[in-house]
């Protein structure tokens, strides 16, 4: 009786969905190369495939299905080729750019060929020296002590950090995607809490969590690719390390306004403020000065590699001088 009731209700819900679900509107842009012959060949291929699956011991049916499949896909290639030739023959000045975009494919990735780097080891060293220049070692004590005034880590903080993590983000050396950590936290929340709580209490970010994989990509449109500056690197950090970084970033963002770490005109990377607020402020200032019959000019600066060249010692000293809790200072 339960199975009959379930099937009856399932059929009723399916029928309601079928009535209220709009059908997909087929346009000429869906498959402009499709022809009536392809429809006939597709039906013949599906029929032969079903017959071969119904009687798998008959070799003639399998051969017929393979022949129908070959004819069907061969006709598709011919239809696409004929449609492309017709499209080029009837091209208009408005469709020339479209034809060029279809014809010119993306160039293959370029391999770095740097002068003086003849072996993979020398090439690797040249790229590392360019993207990650050497920095003076820190003077942090090797023996760590817990901070007495450290805010205890809570499960809700980990949940918020995982919520902002994309499940499709590429993992780093740990090869563990964010979806795994989300499922672990959902099943056993104490596991990540027990792993991260000591790091927060001691204000430590171990070197094992700082390992990353670098993917070197070429910049398009360069006249030559004999310099590391013609390439860019994508750094894939460990996903578990990102959880700790997001938690500490959230805490630091909360205390930054109170400690005077932010400029009053700062708009980016702040909750509730974005580039649109900066644009509105700039427009307001320009119009105010124009109403006073004054000439207005704006200077925009793009600092190249500013984040990569931040002096860690100076940054830590600035945070301590502003009164930031020591456990938040790296």
């Amino acid at each position: 009786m339960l199975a009959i009731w379930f099937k009856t209700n399932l059929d009723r819900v399916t029928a309601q969905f079928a009535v209220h679900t709009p059908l997909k509107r087929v346009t000429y842009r869906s498959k402009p190369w499709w022809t009536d012959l392809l429809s006939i060949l597709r039906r013949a291929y599906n029929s032969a495939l079903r017959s071969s699956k119904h009687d798998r011991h008959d070799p003639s049916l399998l051969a017929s299905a393979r022949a129908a499949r070959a004819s069907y896909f061969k006709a598709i290639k011919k239809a696409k080729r004929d449609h492309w030739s017709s499209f080029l023959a009837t091209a208009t000045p408005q469709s020339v750019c479209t034809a060029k975009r279809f014809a010119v494919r993306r160039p293959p990735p370029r391999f770095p060929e740097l002068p003086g780097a003849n072996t993979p080891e020398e090439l690797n060293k040249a790229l590392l020296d360019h993207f990650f220049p050497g920095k003076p070692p820190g003077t942090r004590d090797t023996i760590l002590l817990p901070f007495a005034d450290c805010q205890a880590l809570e499960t809700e903080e980990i949940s918020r950090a995982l919520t902002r993590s994309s499940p499709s983000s590429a993992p780093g050396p740990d090869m563990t995607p964010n979806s795994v950590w989300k499922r672990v936290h959902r099943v056993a929340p104490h596991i990540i809490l027990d792993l991260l709580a000591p790091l927060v209490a001691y204000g430590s970010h171990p070197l094992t969590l700082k390992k990353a994989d670098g993917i070197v990509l070429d910049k398009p449109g360069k006249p030559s690719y004999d310099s590391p500056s013609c390439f860019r690197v994508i750094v894939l950090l460990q996903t578990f390390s990102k959880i700790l970084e997001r938690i500490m970033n959230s805490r630091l963002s909360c205390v930054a306004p109170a400690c005077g770490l932010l400029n009053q005109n700062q708009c980016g990377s702040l909750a509730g403020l974005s580039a649109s607020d900066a644009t509105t402020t700039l427009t307001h200032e320009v119009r105010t000065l124009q109403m006073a019959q004054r000439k207005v000019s704006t200077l925009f600066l793009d600092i190249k590699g500013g984040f990569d060249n931040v002096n860690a010692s100076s940054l830590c000293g600035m945070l301590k001088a502003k009164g930031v809790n020591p456990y938040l200072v790296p």
Side-chain angles (χ1 to χ4, degrees):
M1 295 296 294
L2 182 60
I4 297 175
W5 175 86
F6 178 77
K7 186 177 185 305
T8 303
N9 285 272
L10 181 61
D11 293 341
R12 180 175 57 83
V13 173
T14 305
Q16 292 179 357
F17 283 159
V19 172
H20 297 286
T21 302
L23 298 177
K24 180 180 178 181
R25 185 170 61 91
V26 180
T27 64
Y28 71 96
R29 294 185 178 181
S30 300
K31 290 182 179 179
W33 44 267
W34 192 265
T35 60
D36 296 336
L37 176 61
L38 293 177
S39 300
I40 297 174
L41 293 176
R42 181 177 61 181
R43 287 194 294 268
Y45 167 57
N46 291 333
S47 177
L49 182 62
R50 286 192 298 268
S51 299
S52 64
K53 289 182 178 180
H54 182 71
D55 190 358
R56 298 180 181 272
H57 300 286
D58 191 350
S60 62
L61 295 178
L62 181 60
S64 177
R66 290 178 177 176
R69 182 182 184 276
S71 300
Y72 174 53
F73 284 101
K74 183 177 180 180
I76 288 179
K77 292 182 179 179
K78 183 177 182 302
K80 290 182 177 180
R81 185 169 59 252
D82 294 344
H83 176 74
W84 175 248
S85 301
S86 176
F87 176 75
L88 292 180
T90 59
T92 60
Q94 290 76 16
S95 60
V96 170
C97 294
T98 303
K100 180 181 178 181
R101 187 172 65 252
F102 290 158
V104 179
R105 299 181 179 180
R106 184 177 180 182
R110 300 169 180 84
F111 192 79
E113 296 181 357
L114 309 181
N118 301 321
T119 62
E121 292 76 11
E122 295 177 352
L123 180 62
N124 186 34
K125 185 178 184 305
L127 293 175
L128 288 176
D129 293 341
H130 174 76
F131 292 117
F132 306 101
K135 296 182 179 180
T139 58
R140 190 166 185 172
D141 298 335
T142 56
I143 300 178
L144 300 178
L145 298 176
F147 292 92
D149 53 350
C150 173
Q151 180 184 353
L153 182 62
E154 299 179 357
T155 308
E156 290 74 11
E157 292 183 274
I158 302 176
S159 301
R160 288 194 296 267
L162 290 173
T163 302
R164 296 194 297 267
S165 303
S166 173
S168 60
S169 179
D174 54 358
M175 299 301 294
T176 306
N178 291 321
S179 57
V180 174
W181 294 118
K182 290 185 178 182
R183 181 171 297 183
V184 169
H185 186 66
R186 183 168 58 252
V187 175
H190 64 88
I191 294 180
I192 300 180
L193 181 63
D194 294 342
L195 291 174
L196 292 181
L199 302 182
V200 175
Y202 283 82
S204 175
H205 196 172
L207 294 177
T208 55
L209 295 182
K210 296 181 180 180
K211 294 182 179 180
D213 292 336
I215 309 299
V216 179
L217 303 176
D218 60 294
K219 297 180 181 178
K222 296 294 182 179
S224 62
Y225 291 86
D226 56 354
S227 173
S229 60
C230 299
F231 299 85
R232 60 189 180 96
V233 61
I234 298 178
V235 179
L236 302 180
L237 300 173
Q238 301 188 53
T239 52
F240 191 78
S241 176
K242 292 182 180 180
I243 302 175
L244 178 60
E245 291 178 1
R246 286 190 177 93
I247 294 173
M248 304 308 291
N249 181 44
S250 299
R251 292 190 176 187
L252 189 60
S253 299
C254 294
V255 302
C259 296
L261 295 175
L262 302 177
N263 189 278
Q264 60 179 358
N265 297 323
Q266 173 71 25
C267 291
S269 303
L270 292 178
L273 295 175
S274 60
S276 58
D277 297 282
T279 305
T280 304
T281 303
L282 177 61
T283 304
H284 172 72
E285 296 293 338
V286 170
R287 291 180 178 177
T288 301
L289 295 174
Q290 286 179 343
M291 292 176 61
Q293 304 299 324
R294 295 185 179 181
K295 295 182 178 180
V296 184
S297 60
T298 306
L299 177 63
F300 296 94
L301 298 177
D302 185 8
I303 302 177
K304 180 180 179 181
F307 180 79
D308 300 333
N309 295 284
V310 173
N311 191 314
S313 301
S314 301
L315 179 60
C316 293
M318 184 182 302
L319 294 177
K320 294 178 181 179
K322 291 292 185 178
V324 178
N325 199 310
Y327 85 93
L328 291 174
V329 180

